Amino acid sequence: MTTATAELLTVPEVMTRLKLGRSKVYDLIRSRRLVSIKIDGARRIPVGAVQDFVLGQIEEAA
């Protein structure tokens, strides 16, 4: 397991990194554009998923 996949972020941490609101982050999760997991009811997002999302957005814009 790599460090990127081992580190998990909370929704507020993702909000800060992407400079998005809570609703938008949950919208990305619901639409499966941002991968997340649930641990005992707590939503967590792997750092690699955030990086993949950003790279995908950059590719779409190019």
Side-chain angles (χ1 to χ4, degrees):
M1 190 179 302
T2 66
T3 304
T5 56
E7 186 179 358
L8 299 174
L9 302 171
T10 63
V11 169
E13 289 171 330
V14 173
M15 290 166 52
T16 300
R17 286 182 183 219
L18 296 179
K19 298 187 180 20
L20 295 173
R22 175 181 158 92
S23 296
K24 185 60 179 177
V25 172
Y26 277 108
D27 194 35
L28 292 171
I29 291 169
R30 266 192 298 281
S31 65
R32 298 188 178 178
R33 294 174 63 201
L34 183 62
V35 175
S36 71
I37 60 172
K38 225 173 180 188
I39 302 172
D40 293 333
R43 184 67 59 183
R44 296 293 180 258
I45 301 96
V47 170
V50 175
Q51 293 168 342
D52 291 345
F53 172 75
V54 172
L55 289 174
Q57 294 300 297
I58 291 170
E59 287 176 6
E60 281 183 25

